[in-house]
Amino acid sequence: MNASASQNKKPRAGAESLALDTDLGWAIRMVSTAFRRVATDSVADLPGGARGYLVLVALAGGNEPPSQLALAKEVSLDRTVMTYLLDDLEAHDLVTRKPDPRDRRARQVLITDTGRARLAQVRESLGAAEARLLTDLDPKDTEHLRTLLARVAQTAQREVLASGEGEC
Protein backbone atom coordinates (compact mmCIF):
# COMPACT_ATOMS: atom_id res chain seq x y z
CA MET A 1 0.00 0.00 0.00
CA ASN A 2 1.39 3.41 -0.89
CA ALA A 3 1.45 6.41 1.46
CA SER A 4 -1.57 8.13 -0.07
CA ALA A 5 -3.68 4.96 0.15
CA SER A 6 -2.84 4.48 3.82
CA GLN A 7 -3.71 8.12 4.48
CA ASN A 8 -7.11 7.54 2.91
CA LYS A 9 -7.72 4.68 5.39
CA LYS A 10 -7.13 6.93 8.41
CA PRO A 11 -10.26 8.35 9.98
CA ARG A 12 -10.75 12.04 9.44
CA ALA A 13 -9.88 14.23 12.41
CA GLY A 14 -12.59 13.75 15.02
CA ALA A 15 -14.45 11.11 12.98
CA GLU A 16 -13.61 8.33 15.46
CA SER A 17 -15.37 10.32 18.17
CA LEU A 18 -18.51 10.34 16.00
CA ALA A 19 -18.78 6.56 15.73
CA LEU A 20 -21.99 5.20 17.21
CA ASP A 21 -20.22 2.64 19.37
CA THR A 22 -18.21 5.41 21.07
CA ASP A 23 -21.27 7.56 21.84
CA LEU A 24 -22.11 7.60 25.56
CA GLY A 25 -25.83 8.15 24.97
CA TRP A 26 -26.04 5.17 22.61
CA ALA A 27 -24.11 2.95 25.03
CA ILE A 28 -26.28 3.94 28.00
CA ARG A 29 -29.45 3.38 25.98
CA MET A 30 -28.37 -0.04 24.76
CA VAL A 31 -27.27 -1.21 28.20
CA SER A 32 -30.35 0.27 29.86
CA THR A 33 -32.70 -1.41 27.39
CA ALA A 34 -30.99 -4.79 27.72
CA PHE A 35 -30.75 -4.53 31.50
CA ARG A 36 -34.39 -3.50 31.83
CA ARG A 37 -35.40 -6.53 29.76
CA VAL A 38 -33.41 -9.08 31.80
CA ALA A 39 -34.04 -7.38 35.15
CA THR A 40 -37.79 -7.10 34.63
CA ASP A 41 -38.07 -10.87 34.43
CA SER A 42 -35.99 -11.26 37.59
CA VAL A 43 -38.13 -8.89 39.69
CA ALA A 44 -41.51 -9.58 38.09
CA ASP A 45 -42.86 -11.51 41.10
CA LEU A 46 -42.05 -8.73 43.58
CA PRO A 47 -44.80 -6.28 44.45
CA GLY A 48 -43.91 -3.15 42.52
CA GLY A 49 -41.42 -5.01 40.32
CA ALA A 50 -38.21 -3.00 39.87
CA ARG A 51 -39.40 -0.27 42.22
CA GLY A 52 -40.13 -2.81 44.94
CA TYR A 53 -36.70 -4.31 44.41
CA LEU A 54 -34.97 -0.93 44.79
CA VAL A 55 -36.86 -0.26 48.01
CA LEU A 56 -35.83 -3.64 49.46
CA VAL A 57 -32.19 -3.08 48.45
CA ALA A 58 -32.18 0.38 50.03
CA LEU A 59 -33.67 -0.99 53.25
CA ALA A 60 -31.41 -4.03 53.42
CA GLY A 61 -28.27 -1.94 53.04
CA GLY A 62 -29.05 0.72 55.62
CA ASN A 63 -28.35 0.84 59.32
CA GLU A 64 -30.95 3.32 60.57
CA PRO A 65 -34.50 2.71 59.27
CA PRO A 66 -35.34 5.63 56.97
CA SER A 67 -38.56 7.58 57.00
CA GLN A 68 -40.89 7.03 54.07
CA LEU A 69 -39.94 10.45 52.72
CA ALA A 70 -36.19 9.82 53.03
CA LEU A 71 -36.61 6.43 51.34
CA ALA A 72 -38.63 8.00 48.50
CA LYS A 73 -35.84 10.51 47.92
CA GLU A 74 -33.14 7.84 48.07
CA VAL A 75 -34.75 5.71 45.36
CA SER A 76 -36.11 8.74 43.42
CA LEU A 77 -39.81 7.98 43.76
CA ASP A 78 -42.68 10.37 44.27
CA ARG A 79 -43.88 10.17 47.89
CA THR A 80 -47.42 9.23 46.81
CA VAL A 81 -46.09 6.39 44.66
CA MET A 82 -43.90 5.35 47.61
CA THR A 83 -46.92 5.16 49.92
CA TYR A 84 -48.80 2.84 47.58
CA LEU A 85 -45.70 0.75 46.95
CA LEU A 86 -45.05 0.37 50.68
CA ASP A 87 -48.69 -0.58 51.23
CA ASP A 88 -48.24 -3.39 48.70
CA LEU A 89 -44.87 -4.51 50.10
CA GLU A 90 -46.29 -4.47 53.62
CA ALA A 91 -49.33 -6.51 52.54
CA HIS A 92 -46.86 -9.18 51.37
CA ASP A 93 -44.91 -9.01 54.68
CA LEU A 94 -41.77 -7.74 52.94
CA VAL A 95 -41.59 -4.46 54.88
CA THR A 96 -43.12 -2.98 57.98
CA ARG A 97 -43.64 0.59 59.11
CA LYS A 98 -43.48 2.02 62.59
CA PRO A 99 -43.70 5.50 64.07
CA ASP A 100 -40.36 7.32 64.11
CA PRO A 101 -39.41 7.78 67.78
CA ARG A 102 -37.94 11.22 66.96
CA ASP A 103 -41.01 12.42 65.04
CA ARG A 104 -44.28 10.59 65.67
CA ARG A 105 -45.74 12.10 62.47
CA ALA A 106 -43.14 10.27 60.38
CA ARG A 107 -43.03 6.54 59.71
CA GLN A 108 -39.84 4.50 59.59
CA VAL A 109 -39.66 1.67 57.07
CA LEU A 110 -37.99 -1.63 57.94
CA ILE A 111 -37.37 -4.72 55.85
CA THR A 112 -38.76 -7.92 57.38
CA ASP A 113 -37.08 -11.32 57.53
CA THR A 114 -39.44 -12.41 54.76
CA GLY A 115 -38.35 -9.36 52.76
CA ARG A 116 -34.67 -10.23 53.24
CA ALA A 117 -35.27 -13.82 52.14
CA ARG A 118 -37.23 -12.73 49.08
CA LEU A 119 -34.57 -10.14 48.23
CA ALA A 120 -31.88 -12.84 48.38
CA GLN A 121 -33.87 -14.96 45.90
CA VAL A 122 -34.38 -12.05 43.54
CA ARG A 123 -30.72 -11.00 43.76
CA GLU A 124 -29.66 -14.53 42.77
CA SER A 125 -31.92 -14.44 39.72
CA LEU A 126 -30.84 -10.90 38.88
CA GLY A 127 -27.17 -11.87 39.30
CA ALA A 128 -27.57 -14.56 36.66
CA ALA A 129 -29.22 -12.06 34.32
CA GLU A 130 -26.45 -9.51 34.93
CA ALA A 131 -23.81 -12.16 34.25
CA ARG A 132 -25.37 -12.80 30.83
CA LEU A 133 -25.28 -9.09 30.05
CA LEU A 134 -21.67 -8.71 31.26
CA THR A 135 -20.41 -11.92 29.67
CA ASP A 136 -17.77 -10.13 27.57
CA LEU A 137 -16.10 -8.61 30.65
CA ASP A 138 -13.67 -10.35 32.96
CA PRO A 139 -14.35 -10.12 36.73
CA LYS A 140 -11.95 -7.18 37.18
CA ASP A 141 -13.59 -5.22 34.36
CA THR A 142 -17.05 -6.05 35.74
CA GLU A 143 -16.12 -4.70 39.16
CA HIS A 144 -14.53 -1.62 37.61
CA LEU A 145 -17.66 -0.98 35.54
CA ARG A 146 -19.87 -1.30 38.64
CA THR A 147 -17.66 1.14 40.56
CA LEU A 148 -17.65 3.70 37.76
CA LEU A 149 -21.39 3.41 37.14
CA ALA A 150 -22.11 3.84 40.86
CA ARG A 151 -20.06 7.03 40.86
CA VAL A 152 -21.85 8.37 37.80
CA ALA A 153 -25.22 7.39 39.29
CA GLN A 154 -24.41 9.26 42.50
CA THR A 155 -23.52 12.35 40.49
CA ALA A 156 -26.74 11.99 38.49
CA GLN A 157 -28.77 11.62 41.68
CA ARG A 158 -27.21 14.79 43.11
CA GLU A 159 -28.05 16.61 39.87
CA VAL A 160 -31.66 15.44 40.04
CA LEU A 161 -32.01 16.47 43.67
CA ALA A 162 -30.36 19.84 43.06
CA SER A 163 -32.68 20.56 40.15
CA GLY A 164 -35.76 19.78 42.22
CA GLU A 165 -36.84 16.98 39.87
CA GLY A 166 -36.45 14.47 42.68
CA GLU A 167 -38.73 16.39 45.06
CA CYS A 168 -41.16 14.06 46.69
Side-chain angles (χ1 to χ4, degrees), residues 5-151:
S6 78
Q7 284 179 334
N8 289 339
K9 296 270 184 194
K10 289 181 186 175
R12 286 170 281 141
E16 65 278 356
S17 65
L18 296 178
L20 190 60
D21 64 353
T22 62
D23 185 81
L24 179 63
W26 176 82
I28 289 172
R29 182 168 183 241
M30 294 305 296
V31 171
S32 177
T33 300
F35 183 79
R36 191 176 307 113
R37 187 183 66 251
V38 299
T40 298
D41 292 342
S42 298
V43 300
D45 292 337
L46 274 181
R51 290 174 172 173
Y53 170 76
L54 290 177
V55 166
L56 293 178
V57 169
L59 293 173
N63 296 327
E64 173 94 16
S67 68
Q68 284 185 207
L69 183 57
L71 182 59
K73 286 181 180 180
E74 184 178 1
V75 297
S76 297
L77 284 179
D78 176 81
R79 66 178 177 208
T80 305
V81 172
M82 178 60 75
T83 299
Y84 288 116
L85 178 57
L86 291 176
D87 288 347
D88 205 10
L89 291 168
E90 195 168 33
H92 286 85
D93 191 36
L94 301 175
V95 302
T96 188
R97 291 177 275 193
K98 69 176 189 174
D100 186 330
R102 295 167 302 209
D103 179 359
R104 302 298 263 170
R105 297 169 296 169
R107 311 277 289 162
Q108 288 181 320
V109 185
L110 299 98
I111 189 169
T112 64
D113 290 341
T114 302
R116 285 186 192 283
R118 187 71 185 104
L119 179 59
Q121 292 169 343
V122 170
R123 285 186 71 90
E124 186 175 321
S125 173
L126 189 56
E130 288 174 359
R132 286 193 315 273
L133 189 59
L134 300 172
T135 195
D136 290 337
L137 300 180
D138 64 36
K140 184 179 176 184
D141 286 342
T142 297
E143 191 58 37
H144 194 209
L145 176 65
R146 287 179 186 279
T147 300
L148 293 174
L149 283 175
R151 287 172 46 197

